[in-house]
Amino acid sequence: MLQGNSRYEQARTAAIKAAAAEFAVKGYHGASTREIAARLGIKQGSLYYYFKSKEDALLEVCLYGIRDYAQRMQDIAANDQPFEAKLLATVSSHLWSYRSTDEALKVYNDERLYLPEEKRRHLKELGSSYREQLEGIIADAVETGQVRGTIDPHFAAQAVIGICNAWGDLIVRDPDLDIVALTQKCTGLLLGGFRDPEH
Amino acid sequence: MLQGNSRYEQARTAAIKAAAAEFAVKGYHGASTREIAARLGIKQGSLYYYFKSKEDALLEVCLYGIRDYAQRMQDIAANDQPFEAKLLATVSSHLWSYRSTDEALKVYNDERLYLPEEKRRHLKELGSSYREQLEGIIADAVETGQVRGTIDPHFAAQAVIGICNAWGDLIVRDPDLDIVALTQKCTGLLLGGFRDPEH
Amino acid sequence: MLQGNSRYEQARTAAIKAAAAEFAVKGYHGASTREIAARLGIKQGSLYYYFKSKEDALLEVCLYGIRDYAQRMQDIAANDQPFEAKLLATVSSHLWSYRSTDEALKVYNDERLYLPEEKRRHLKELGSSYREQLEGIIADAVETGQVRGTIDPHFAAQAVIGICNAWGDLIVRDPDLDIVALTQKCTGLLLGGFRDPEH
Amino acid sequence: MLQGNSRYEQARTAAIKAAAAEFAVKGYHGASTREIAARLGIKQGSLYYYFKSKEDALLEVCLYGIRDYAQRMQDIAANDQPFEAKLLATVSSHLWSYRSTDEALKVYNDERLYLPEEKRRHLKELGSSYREQLEGIIADAVETGQVRGTIDPHFAAQAVIGICNAWGDLIVRDPDLDIVALTQKCTGLLLGGFRDPEH
DNA sequence: CATGAATGAGCGTTCATTCAT
DNA sequence: CATGAATGAACGCTCATTCAT
């Protein structure tokens, strides 16, 4: 996932995951660098070999949490598929991200606002592009009549993201949740809500 | 709302609101008692006249955030109305709470897990009862055929809450958001998603 | 000396003196806030009731070290006395300052450059005004023929200050040094050096 | 100057100069081994090939700063010249040292006291011998009537050193300062101050 | 009711130093 | 010779909390 396979990069990725886990449970301000280090089996000061600061660690965790997820949205938007397939792919990708990035996506959602504006800029772009692409998919579907004309794409995109994130929290907390089934239910609900009742 | 109208109770409510505002922006761990006191125009130490501890303040804020909101759910569930009306009432109540309780509902959603188990018990009951009542409403609608039979009430209730909370965050951040219009859109989307396409 | 006689101001002055003593012996970077607090018989964290930061403490010490000293130079320059008297007054004031401000003047001399530019601005003004006034006194004496014309006032002022500071270090280290005698010797040396050999 | 011309000795001298530069600007406690290494283009840990410890580096810098300077004083004292020539030579040597030893002499003056007693012993001897020889030169001049009898050699030597060091600080900070002219002024001032006004 | 003053614990961070490679 | 990686100790600072006044 993260570019680079040197021993350093591997250790750094482990550090990012440890930070993600700690931030996810305690929140950014509630987490302590000592605990993050303990998860890695190193001493507190040694963390600074991998991160310039705790804030930097949060940024890395957030990036780790959304990088692939934003990339996949790009791919989905570029593909030439019917709306139903795109929505399913979006929901599926979103929900799976909660599993595959450990708790990093949750951290991105809940803690990114504690980063100062300048450090958050890149994150903001990735997040905005995600939402905008989803809005674009929905707007296209409105135009082609695949969803009813009264749907507001901006509202609808937020709703999709909102539902996915709400379930994402539960996915993180319950490792036994069946994501495939959940994806079906979410997509079904949303498709029903979007569909023109006359069709 | 809070029992008692003595000068003390009024001041205490002001303190709860100040804490809510601070917790909402900085998070529980990121907020400082000094800043909360500053919002009230008093000194740090004086806060302890209103709260036994910072943790106690968080508990009070959370209670303030969901007490009325849970009560209203109780009323909605008890009423004898068609499903569409109940869902509209639920969404409306939920979204308005984000406005009327200052940022306390957001704090309940985002920060309540930082309370130790024992202190959280009462909150948990209120929250669970909310969700269960919503599940009950949906289950009833399934039974009476007002929503399609493939809807899983537990899943659906989480989805309703998820959408409302996602928009709730935006409501808190953007004071100009038109909640009536938003309520319409949310309810419309959900009703469409729940409806049996054959009807 | 320091304006204000409230209990707080008294305690704060004591803190400034403790910081001065510690900075004088260990240097700014070598001194620890823990040790400064120990000198006061309080705990480390309590220091921050009196200083916003260690840097702020250094600034206060420097100000304490030169405030009166700069003021007295102002008075000397304003008075209408012969050059010999003014030089004697200058040297005397300078050397006595090393006694009366504890080690704060030494700290000003040795550590002020560790303050960031912006915080140092006020200090710079006081220090420059001191040197410029001394230069003015010497320039006047050149014009009136009280000192020989080959004397460069800028150079001469630095020399006066240099000698006084060199002896100041020794004054701080040796509490038994006779400052009156030292003042005589310094003034004598300088007057001799300044005087026109033809007179 | 430093014994040995092996590649190692050259590199070691470079390390001493780098340490001197860093100590001169930031002070001993404010300087970091990482920065010293950075000046040399090597990594922090590699410094320990040249110095046993940071303290050892300070000692080497101080020695580098005064070794030649003390040696030259020895030569001046041994020579058979009139007092005026000796004083000129002393001042000249002192001021030039600030240029030629990079900032090492400044470090010796300002930071040597941070060395523990035992490590400082050798430095102390060199410094004392410098001052004592200068005192000897002045005492001789008093005896032979080249300077007036009221001059206290100990006081006078400190004054010479004090003026030179005060200007030394400015020499280090201002690379354009004309040292020859400065030497003239300093010597002139001091000679005037020492001279018997009756002669 | 409220404050001024202090505390003790903890935090994020830096640093000189070590040592296997 | 030099580095990468880590360490342990210390540091400046903030914070929730207490309590006499």
Side-chain angles (χ1 to χ4, degrees):
Chain A
M1 296 273 170
L2 290 175
Q3 67 274 48
N5 290 315
S6 65
R7 199 158 294 175
Y8 176 81
E9 287 299 341
Q10 278 179 258
R12 190 160 196 269
T13 301
I16 291 173
K17 288 182 183 178
E22 196 67 11
F23 289 156
V25 176
K26 310 241 186 89
Y28 173 65
H29 287 114
S32 87
T33 56
R34 181 172 256 107
E35 285 294 323
I36 295 171
R39 276 177 191 259
L40 285 167
I42 62 176
K43 294 298 157 64
Q44 190 184 25
S46 310
L47 259 191
Y48 288 75
Y49 187 63
Y50 301 107
F51 302 122
K52 251 179 43 225
S53 66
K54 190 189 180 188
E55 216 171 69
D56 183 48
L58 175 56
L59 179 58
E60 293 300 329
V61 169
C62 289
L63 277 172
Y64 176 68
I66 56 159
R67 202 182 285 134
D68 298 349
Y69 151 94
Q71 178 57 49
R72 275 197 303 269
M73 184 39 120
Q74 202 116 349
D75 298 344
I76 292 167
N79 269 8
D80 190 24
Q81 292 180 308
F83 175 66
E84 283 84 356
K86 284 185 174 174
L87 186 64
L88 183 80
T90 300
V91 171
S92 177
S93 158
H94 201 135
L95 295 180
W96 276 111
S97 290
Y98 275 100
R99 272 280 143 75
S100 61
T101 65
D102 309 281
E103 287 119 325
L105 184 52
K106 177 174 158 58
V107 173
Y108 165 80
N109 277 327
D110 295 349
E111 314 293 332
R112 72 173 185 279
L113 289 175
Y114 297 134
L115 288 170
E117 246 289 313
E118 351 113 36
K119 286 202 180 176
R120 216 169 60 225
R121 201 161 303 143
H122 186 205
L123 285 179
K124 229 172 182 166
E125 283 165 24
L126 289 173
S128 295
S129 111
Y130 186 93
R131 205 196 56 242
E132 283 159 15
Q133 261 154 344
L134 182 51
E135 283 179 28
I137 290 173
I138 295 168
D140 284 353
V142 169
E143 258 175 47
T144 61
Q146 291 177 285
V147 316
R148 57 183 221 264
T150 51
I151 286 292
D152 166 2
H154 174 65
F155 162 81
Q158 294 280 15
V160 172
I161 295 172
I163 289 191
C164 288
N165 284 340
W167 277 99
D169 270 18
L170 302 177
I171 288 170
V172 168
R173 266 189 262 166
D174 175 0
D176 294 331
L177 241 168
D178 179 347
I179 294 187
V180 174
L182 188 56
T183 303
Q184 293 294 344
K185 286 180 187 166
C186 285
T187 315
L189 175 70
L190 290 162
L191 276 180
F194 293 156
R195 192 175 9 229
D196 188 334
E198 305 308 306
H199 281 71
Chain B
M1 294 291 162
L2 289 175
Q3 66 275 48
N5 288 316
S6 65
R7 196 157 292 175
Y8 173 79
E9 287 300 338
Q10 278 180 261
R12 189 158 197 271
T13 302
I16 291 173
K17 287 183 183 180
E22 198 65 12
F23 289 157
V25 176
K26 310 236 183 93
Y28 172 64
H29 286 114
S32 84
T33 56
R34 176 178 254 105
E35 285 293 322
I36 295 170
R39 277 178 191 259
L40 286 167
I42 63 174
K43 294 293 159 61
Q44 195 173 22
S46 312
L47 261 190
Y48 287 74
Y49 185 70
Y50 301 110
F51 304 119
K52 246 179 47 224
S53 67
K54 192 188 179 188
E55 221 171 63
D56 184 47
L58 175 56
L59 180 58
E60 293 299 330
V61 169
C62 288
L63 277 172
Y64 176 69
I66 55 158
R67 202 179 288 135
D68 299 350
Y69 152 96
Q71 177 57 51
R72 274 198 303 270
M73 189 67 205
Q74 203 114 352
D75 299 345
I76 292 167
N79 268 8
D80 190 24
Q81 291 180 308
F83 176 66
E84 282 86 355
K86 283 185 175 174
L87 186 63
L88 183 81
T90 300
V91 170
S92 177
S93 158
H94 200 135
L95 295 180
W96 275 111
S97 291
Y98 276 100
R99 271 282 143 74
S100 61
T101 65
D102 309 281
E103 287 119 328
L105 185 52
K106 178 175 158 58
V107 172
Y108 165 80
N109 276 328
D110 295 348
E111 315 292 333
R112 72 173 185 279
L113 289 174
Y114 299 135
L115 288 169
E117 248 288 315
E118 352 113 36
K119 286 202 181 176
R120 217 169 59 224
R121 201 161 305 142
H122 186 205
L123 286 179
K124 229 172 183 166
E125 282 163 24
L126 289 173
S128 296
S129 110
Y130 186 93
R131 204 196 59 242
E132 282 159 16
Q133 261 153 343
L134 182 51
E135 282 178 30
I137 290 174
I138 296 169
D140 284 352
V142 170
E143 257 174 49
T144 60
Q146 290 177 287
V147 315
R148 57 183 221 263
T150 50
I151 286 292
D152 165 1
H154 174 64
F155 161 79
Q158 293 282 13
V160 173
I161 295 172
I163 289 191
C164 288
N165 284 340
W167 277 99
D169 270 18
L170 303 176
I171 288 169
V172 168
R173 265 189 262 166
D174 175 2
D176 294 330
L177 242 169
D178 179 347
I179 295 187
V180 174
L182 189 57
T183 303
Q184 294 294 343
K185 285 181 187 166
C186 285
T187 314
L189 176 72
L190 290 163
L191 277 180
F194 292 156
R195 189 172 15 225
D196 188 335
E198 303 309 306
H199 282 69
Chain C
M1 293 267 171
L2 290 175
Q3 66 274 48
N5 290 316
S6 63
R7 199 158 293 176
Y8 176 82
E9 287 299 341
Q10 279 180 257
R12 189 158 197 272
T13 302
I16 291 172
K17 289 183 182 178
E22 197 66 11
F23 289 156
V25 176
K26 310 241 185 89
Y28 174 63
H29 287 115
S32 86
T33 55
R34 182 171 256 106
E35 285 294 323
I36 295 171
R39 278 178 190 259
L40 285 166
I42 63 176
K43 294 297 157 65
Q44 190 186 25
S46 311
L47 259 191
Y48 288 75
Y49 188 64
Y50 301 108
F51 302 122
K52 248 178 45 223
S53 65
K54 190 188 180 188
E55 218 172 68
D56 184 47
L58 175 55
L59 179 58
E60 292 301 330
V61 169
C62 288
L63 277 172
Y64 176 68
I66 56 159
R67 200 181 287 136
D68 298 349
Y69 151 96
Q71 177 58 50
R72 275 197 303 269
M73 183 41 112
Q74 201 115 349
D75 298 345
I76 293 167
N79 268 9
D80 191 24
Q81 292 181 307
F83 176 66
E84 283 85 355
K86 283 185 175 175
L87 186 64
L88 182 81
T90 300
V91 170
S92 176
S93 157
H94 201 135
L95 295 180
W96 275 110
S97 290
Y98 276 99
R99 270 280 143 75
S100 60
T101 66
D102 310 280
E103 287 118 327
L105 186 51
K106 176 174 159 56
V107 172
Y108 166 80
N109 277 328
D110 295 348
E111 314 293 333
R112 72 174 185 278
L113 289 176
Y114 299 133
L115 287 170
E117 248 288 315
E118 350 113 37
K119 286 202 180 175
R120 215 168 61 225
R121 200 161 304 143
H122 186 206
L123 285 180
K124 229 173 183 165
E125 282 164 25
L126 289 172
S128 295
S129 111
Y130 185 93
R131 204 197 57 243
E132 283 159 16
Q133 260 153 345
L134 182 50
E135 283 180 29
I137 290 174
I138 296 168
D140 283 354
V142 170
E143 258 175 50
T144 60
Q146 290 179 286
V147 316
R148 59 182 221 263
T150 52
I151 285 292
D152 165 3
H154 174 65
F155 162 80
Q158 293 281 16
V160 173
I161 295 172
I163 289 192
C164 288
N165 284 340
W167 275 100
D169 271 17
L170 303 177
I171 289 170
V172 169
R173 267 189 263 165
D174 175 1
D176 294 331
L177 241 168
D178 179 347
I179 294 188
V180 174
L182 188 56
T183 302
Q184 294 293 345
K185 286 179 187 167
C186 285
T187 314
L189 174 71
L190 289 162
L191 276 179
F194 293 155
R195 190 173 13 228
D196 187 335
E198 304 309 306
H199 281 69
Chain D
M1 294 291 162
L2 290 174
Q3 67 274 50
N5 287 316
S6 65
R7 195 157 294 175
Y8 174 80
E9 286 300 339
Q10 279 180 261
R12 188 158 197 272
T13 303
I16 291 172
K17 288 183 181 178
E22 198 65 13
F23 289 156
V25 176
K26 310 238 184 90
Y28 172 64
H29 286 114
S32 84
T33 56
R34 174 177 256 106
E35 285 293 322
I36 295 170
R39 276 178 191 259
L40 286 167
I42 63 175
K43 292 295 158 59
Q44 195 173 21
S46 311
L47 262 188
Y48 287 74
Y49 185 71
Y50 302 109
F51 303 120
K52 245 179 45 223
S53 67
K54 191 186 180 190
E55 219 171 65
D56 183 47
L58 176 56
L59 179 58
E60 293 301 330
V61 169
C62 289
L63 277 171
Y64 176 70
I66 56 158
R67 201 181 288 134
D68 299 351
Y69 152 96
Q71 177 58 50
R72 275 198 302 270
M73 189 67 206
Q74 203 113 353
D75 298 346
I76 292 166
N79 268 8
D80 191 24
Q81 293 179 307
F83 175 67
E84 284 85 355
K86 283 186 175 175
L87 185 63
L88 183 80
T90 300
V91 170
S92 177
S93 158
H94 200 136
L95 295 180
W96 275 110
S97 292
Y98 275 101
R99 271 281 142 75
S100 60
T101 64
D102 310 280
E103 287 118 328
L105 184 52
K106 176 175 159 57
V107 172
Y108 166 80
N109 276 328
D110 295 349
E111 314 292 333
R112 71 173 185 279
L113 289 174
Y114 299 135
L115 288 169
E117 248 288 315
E118 352 113 36
K119 286 203 180 175
R120 215 169 62 226
R121 200 161 306 142
H122 187 205
L123 286 179
K124 228 173 184 166
E125 282 164 22
L126 288 172
S128 295
S129 110
Y130 185 94
R131 203 197 59 243
E132 282 159 15
Q133 261 154 343
L134 181 51
E135 283 180 28
I137 290 173
I138 296 168
D140 284 353
V142 169
E143 258 175 47
T144 61
Q146 290 178 284
V147 315
R148 58 182 218 263
T150 51
I151 286 292
D152 164 1
H154 174 66
F155 161 80
Q158 293 282 16
V160 172
I161 294 172
I163 288 192
C164 288
N165 285 339
W167 277 99
D169 270 17
L170 302 176
I171 289 170
V172 168
R173 266 189 262 166
D174 175 1
D176 295 330
L177 243 170
D178 179 348
I179 295 188
V180 174
L182 188 56
T183 302
Q184 293 294 343
K185 285 180 187 168
C186 285
T187 315
L189 175 72
L190 289 163
L191 276 179
F194 292 156
R195 190 173 14 227
D196 187 335
E198 303 309 306
H199 281 69

